[in-house]
Amino acid sequence: MAPADGGGEQPHKAHRQHKSGAKARKKKGKGKGGGGDNDGGERKNPKAFAFQSAAKAKRLQARSAEIEQRRLHVPIMDRSIGEPPPFVVVVQGPPQVGKSLLIKCLVKHYTKQNLSEVRGPITVVSGKSRRVQFLECPNDINGMIDAAKIADLALLLIDGSYGFEMDTFEFLNIMQVHGFPKVMGVLTHLDKFKDVKKLRKTKQRLKHRFWAEIKEGAKLFYLSGLIHGKYTKREVHNLARFISVIKPIPLSWRMAHPYLLVDRFEDVTPPESVRLNRKCDRKITLYGYLRGCNMKRGTKVHITGAGDFSLSGVTSLADPCPLPSAAKKRGLRDKEKLFYAPMSGLGDLLYDTDAVYININPHLVQFSKTGENDASKKQGKGQDVGVTLVKTLQNPRYSLNEKLDQSFINLFGRKPAAQSEDISGNQNDQGDANILEEADGNNICNANTLESNDHSYSECSSDSEHDNDEATQQNDHEVGLREEVEFCNGRMRRKAVSANFKDDDDDEGAEEDDVDSENSGDDQLSEGSADDSEESLDSDDETENNSKWKESLLARTLSRRSANLMQLVYGQASKKLDEGNDSSAEESSDEEFFVPKGQKKQAKNESTSFDDMDAEDYSKFFKTELRDWSDEDLIKSIRDRFVTGNWSKAALRGQEINENDVDDEEVDGDFEDLETGEEVDNDTKKSKREETNGGGYFDKLKEEIEIRKQMNISELNDLDEDTRVEIEGFRTGSYIRLEVHGVPFELVEYFDPCHPILVGGIGLGEENTGYMQASLKRHRWHRKVLKTKDPIIVSIGWRRFQTTPVYAIEDRNGRHRMLKYTPEHMHCFAMFWGPLAPPKSGVLAVQHLSNSQVPFRITATGFVQEFNNTARIMKKIKLTGVPCKIFKKTALVKGMFTSDLEVARFEGAAIRTVSGIRGQVKKAAKIEPGDMARRKGESIDGIARCTFEDRILMSDIVFMRAWVNVEVPTYCNLVTTALQPQDETWQGMRTTAELRRAHNIPIPHNTDSVYKPIERKVRKFNPIEIPAKLQHLLPFKSKPKDTPKHRKTPVENRVPVLMQPSEKKTHAAIQQLRLLKHEKARKKKLQDEKKKKAYEAEKAKSELLTKKRQREERRVRYREEDKQKKRARR
Amino acid sequence: MGRDKARRLSGSRHFRQRVVLATLTSTAITIDDIRSGGAAPGLRPHEVSLLHLLHKISDHHSLDLNETGKDARFLPRAYLWTKLRYKPGVIVGGRDLEHDCGVHRGIGYFLEPLILLGLFARAPISIRLKGITNDTKDPSVDTFRMVTLHMLKQFGVPLEGLELKIESRGAPPLGGGEVFLRVPNIKSTLKAANWADEGMVKRIRGVSFSTRVSPQIENRIIYAARGIFNRFIPDVHIFTDHRSGSAGGRSAGYGVSVVAETTTGCLLSADATVSYPNVDEMNEESENLELTSPEDLGVQVASMLLEEVAQGGVVDSAHQGLLFILCALSPPDVSKVRVGQLTPYAIETLRNIRDFLDVKFIIKPDPNSNTVTLKCVGAGVKNLARKTS
């Protein structure tokens, strides 16, 4: 911004100032300011740039402060430690927009590998410290919702030649509800434009629309077109750079829940049980990078589209796609450009807890002994170690054991028999089923080999693609399914490890026992381990961990007592009691219980019943032996615990702890009994104090968070791996394997790698179901309002479920009034029943899951407000009744209540007649015997005595306004889309309207509710009859006259008017004159009308002409202007 | 949806903790065999009272009590409930609540769970508790006011909303005391505590009370206690709180609770009460038993406090359990606390925490100071009941 170097770079034409004229004079009047600011004026005359007015200065300052404040966000603590998990890039767009192609191009860019098909997530090492996981978003709404929940970056692909499609906006809305990740638009199909100008205009238009949706300046990337069926290298490169600089946004929901995007899925049910019952519950394993927050073993998970499951095993595996070592260098070596996509059948190695699978492309290496042609291939490749190994296995001159001993790598364990069996089995498979091989080839043929462009290989791949195409064209459901199943189960793979895991484990356990018994001098430990090994048989994982933990405990030269304490507290349940006894026994033997006299029995009870299940619970501990504190020795022993004691000794007390506790962390040596954590604390406190002068509240918050994080790291640093996992769970970023039992077989049967499987951890209290109150707003673009109790599908947290909400709005008195339909442009409450999600989590509602029913599928959006079980939703009810007997101002009303009990409930309630007379319910009416006789046949129950402010009529209708509670249906149905074929739409509960449509039932129609024209009879009043007595007293004026009924007098009774002849004449003359006048006026009027019409016609004609002329003029003028503008632009 | 089965527990021990942790983690629990073997099976009146209290402050929970087959004619109804099924709901809280704690256990028995539940309630709780304010088994309300409430400060709960007012005192066996408790609800989570520095004792404070006895007794207690404290530290103040009339409850008693405050703000307490025995253990021999004299009581309390000081740790032995629960509830950061020797109650608490919250502590003894350092990563329990504005 320095004004000095403004002129340096490009020679511009110098600005020539006006030397004369108004502007020049104006500038002169201002003073010398104008001349000075060209170069270095700011420095020479700082006053010249000071604010002239205080108000303006204030305004500007306020503005800048506001901008500054708007930039700030409440800092969120990022608790993840270590390598971050791969960055999920979801590629989303309407069908046929180029999603897969973009992924392929990006993968090609990163790894130089060609990908034939995009299935499932693809992990790629994209930089020295960065991995990217690409995920293609499926087009159905379920897939979109799931993808939006895991995306760190969403690439929205937009067909530039077509414009935006609803899918894009739907996806944006979904993301907004579930935490808005980073978004980048990508325009494709721009090569459809032939006209450059049109292209530019379209880009401009789409960009602005995109900005309007996200924010001003949101990135929209242009992919100009295809070259050889791929996007241009340069553009993909640029896009990759954009992706590489984007940082994920911390989203509160995801930060608080562990989750993983499953990139590998295996069915590990024993084949025998599947054979016996194909529909038996399966055991599956799910693999993926752990994201969000740390995951503990006991966490329950939700598998999207399938339901909630408890984990039966979590293991951390070696990272299949590790980041390169942190050596200092630029860029990535080719070797480090790893990628991992097991669902696409890519990635050479698959790790499991008990085995490593190596995928080898059968077209590159043929292991069955065909001989010659593969030899030629091999020559091209050079001998691979693995290949030779397998080859040599095929012509066994020696037994396998010997062979393995001879071979120079000893990757694997000692049980090769199983291996050979496996291989032969696989080969048999190959030989038997050609189809299978084809399918497998399709999956694996692109398997990652660095020297890829083999002739035969490409042929094969094309072949298999053809096959695949054919298969899809046939659209044979059966075949498709089989293919899938084969894909996940029968992939050609060679089990390289044959070590029987169980044996291994047992060995380990045995070792451990030895170690235990060797090391543990005291009885407790050995006892415990013995127990362990006995109990371990059922669960292998656990024992392993357990034993490891113990081993490490022993290995660590931690004080014996620590281990004891941990075990004492968390030991096996069987031991617990003994230990409890021991400890209490120790204590009781060591020290006498303090027992106040009255308490003796109670205390005794406690001492014996520490392990008793029915022990009383006291938080107070009556252990204390009362020593005589006047004893000098005793006093001396705690002398230094008081400020009156020796301070340096007291400080020593802490420091020794330091050395003991944390060995690896050197104390900075400054002072006192602070732990390392506090050390940091102190240091930063100083700096904080310094900064509080400069930085504000915000910096302080950040500082605190940083301190907290440092402390977390330092405190957990010195733990060994297993203890750490027990304490804090599996860390984010680690590749873990989840084992889930009891999964419905449909999940395996209909597994489709193109649909992302998201496994989300369920927090405390989120597995329960209950009523939730959400603030909901119908989406503007959804055509219809929503009806109360119509089922909608909501997505909250990880889950998607169908529920029937009741909509409500809060009245001014705090009452929740039911709404039959959602309001047009307002938020309303929606109360529904379902699995609870914490307040503030977003709610997304969809009515139909099918793709083509409605133009815009998002029905409503909102957020959970609270768990509300008490707030009653009320509905107005009007009870009506009619008077059956009227006294003065009291009436007996019937038909309003059905029983006397009901009347009693409403005593004192306000009522009203239609005519507006107010009243009150008093009591149930006592029916007199006479009445009863009169009302024979009718029910006499529920007649209420009511009083009114005025006498009511028998024709009045009395009504009472009351409020009745509306029950929210306890209906919730998880959307189990993963348990059905993906091309079927999930069918949940149908709305009443849909049911009526399906069963052809007309809408019920209450004839009473129909509006009819109101017919009012003219009221006939009887003449007033005044009693004779009264009449007599009235004055004459008011007396009814004895007037006969008014009737037109007949002609014969009328008085004739006889005129004089002169009168007759004048009368006739006047009549004639009047006639003349009228006639004249009539003619004049006609003429005028004619004239006016003519004038109007004339006027219209001329107007038309003028308009024409004006338009012509305008057109000329505009053309001129446009031309001028263009000229100016050039 | 995975059918969530209730957690099965048995026996009546740690009833409070189980119920509280179940409520906080909203896990359903089933407790069977509640004293089923004993002569007096079933829930005790104070446990039933606790359930009533829970009922008052929460909502949409379900409580099932199953009776044994014993003949109901011989026993009051409460003694028959040997099986409890509890499915927690939302803690609502609320103002101006009232609860009669009965005379079987002190108010201290109810305060500990209440303060935990109150933090995670929808609305701040203000409640009036009636019963025995000071007794021998439970921490006295003075201790609670002076120590327990201040403990929450370490976990990021502001002291402003916390209040315990002792309106009147009641000693066993008849009680008649009344306290007023206010607990604020936290916004979302507690804060993890790093509380390992015990410091040195800088002052000793305390409150002695007497109901329906001569006020002179208090001076005798204080005199005796000071006699011991003066050897260590001169800054000792024990206040007297003599209640008479209606504020003195219905039974006679006296007691004292003392607090040692360290340079780092840790509070160690000890309390003792002398009164006639509780209704539960009244029998012939207790009719004419000899009560501890005020002088002995003073010496006893002072010794207890010094014992606590000698043990070390940032809290005294009675507060260990609460401290651990608070640590386990805090967000998934490392909490670090130091306590003296672990009490059996604390150990059981740790086990319960492991069972309910899936939080394990690293327990490291420190041989030099004879204390134990505990570290844990909290479960990050959030206040889900609180409404978003």
Side-chain angles (χ1 to χ4, degrees), chain A residues 897 899-909 921-924 942 944:
Chain A
F897 306 109
S899 65
D900 285 353
L901 196 71
E902 222 173 276
V903 180
R905 166 72 184 77
F906 284 98
E907 270 171 25
V921 177
K922 285 299 184 193
K923 250 185 162 73

Side-chain angles (χ1 to χ4, degrees), chain A residues 3-17:
Chain A
D5 51 47
E9 283 187 339
Q10 264 185 321
H12 286 296
K13 200 167 157 192
H15 175 59
R16 291 197 298 184
Q17 262 183 336

Side-chain angles (χ1 to χ4, degrees), chain A residues 677-746:
Chain A
E678 293 233 315
E679 200 78 44
V680 181
D681 210 334
N682 239 28
D683 288 349
T684 35
K685 248 181 210 160
K686 275 179 226 154
S687 58
K688 210 198 293 173
R689 224 170 288 137
E690 285 161 16
E691 255 183 52
T692 36
N693 302 330
Y697 174 68
F698 184 73
D699 292 324
K700 218 165 79 185
L701 274 183
K702 269 183 146 174
E703 195 85 35
E704 269 167 24
I705 285 177
E706 193 49 41
I707 292 165
R708 176 49 67 191
K709 199 173 169 186
Q710 288 304 324
M711 198 194 127
N712 285 353
I713 294 172
S714 66
E715 292 290 352
L716 294 176
N717 239 353
D718 54 334
L719 295 178
D720 63 302
E721 187 60 24
D722 292 306
T723 328
R724 199 185 53 69
V725 166
E726 283 212 345
I727 300 296
E728 66 161 357
F730 293 94
R731 279 190 174 165
T732 55
S734 54
Y735 193 73
I736 58 169
R737 167 188 190 266
L738 307 178
E739 191 169 341
V740 187
H741 291 182
V743 177
F745 81 100
E746 288 96 337

Side-chain angles (χ1 to χ4, degrees), chain A residues 413-635:
Chain A
R414 285 301 166 92
K415 290 269 160 60
Q419 184 188 18
S420 65
E421 267 171 32
D422 266 8
I423 285 169
S424 60
N426 267 346
Q427 279 167 352
N428 282 342
D429 278 0
Q430 249 178 308
D432 287 349
N434 264 334
I435 312 160
L436 198 150
E437 193 179 293
E438 287 291 346
D440 280 348
N442 193 13
N443 298 332
I444 308 170
C445 63
N446 273 346
N448 174 358
T449 46
L450 295 176
E451 310 81 8
S452 58
N453 281 333
D454 209 318
H455 176 66
S456 66
Y457 155 62
S458 60
E459 221 177 68
C460 277
S461 73
S462 62
D463 275 356
S464 60
E465 261 171 25
H466 283 311
D467 283 357
N468 196 24
D469 283 354
E470 275 166 28
T472 47
Q473 272 165 14
Q474 279 168 8
N475 209 4
D476 191 343
H477 191 64
E478 272 302 306
V479 170
L481 282 185
R482 258 185 74 195
E483 215 171 306
E484 277 164 21
V485 172
E486 277 155 15
F487 171 70
C488 53
N489 281 337
R491 182 171 334 124
M492 177 138 48
R493 55 166 90 108
R494 272 133 241 273
K495 196 171 181 183
V497 164
S498 51
N500 195 345
F501 184 57
K502 267 196 179 166
D503 287 1
D504 221 15
D505 195 39
D506 284 354
D507 287 348
E508 235 175 281
E511 270 173 35
E512 217 113 297
D513 282 357
D514 293 347
V515 173
D516 278 355
S517 51
E518 273 165 31
N519 282 340
S520 56
D522 50 9
D523 304 345
Q524 288 178 358
L525 255 183
S526 60
E527 225 179 82
S529 57
D531 278 355
D532 273 3
S533 53
E534 272 168 27
E535 285 177 12
S536 67
L537 292 172
D538 47 359
S539 60
D540 287 345
D541 283 2
E542 236 169 71
T543 40
E544 192 193 18
N545 287 325
N546 231 337
S547 49
K548 262 190 193 162
W549 163 66
K550 259 178 226 153
E551 191 181 29
S552 58
L553 264 185
L554 293 160
R556 266 189 310 167
T557 49
L558 236 155
S559 64
R560 171 77 48 76
R561 195 164 154 226
S562 155
N564 281 353
L565 261 180
M566 283 280 269
Q567 273 195 339
L568 200 147
V569 175
Y570 295 123
Q572 293 294 313
S574 55
K575 292 192 304 183
K576 215 195 287 180
L577 297 182
D578 306 356
E579 272 171 18
N581 257 350
D582 284 354
S583 63
S584 59
E586 268 170 31
E587 279 149 10
S588 55
S589 64
D590 285 352
E591 299 137 340
E592 241 182 51
F593 273 79
F594 155 60
V595 189
K597 274 182 185 171
Q599 208 58 45
K600 192 164 247 171
K601 209 177 83 189
Q602 205 66 28
K604 259 184 196 161
N605 262 345
E606 205 213 338
S607 72
T608 50
S609 66
F610 174 57
D611 53 314
D612 178 17
M613 1 181 263
D614 292 330
E616 285 287 340
D617 65 351
Y618 300 112
S619 59
K620 238 167 144 180
F621 184 48
F622 305 105
K623 178 214 84 165
T624 337
E625 167 212 11
L626 274 188
R627 291 179 283 189
D628 183 16
W629 284 96
S630 53
D631 180 20
E632 273 308 321
D633 287 346
L634 267 180
I635 290 174

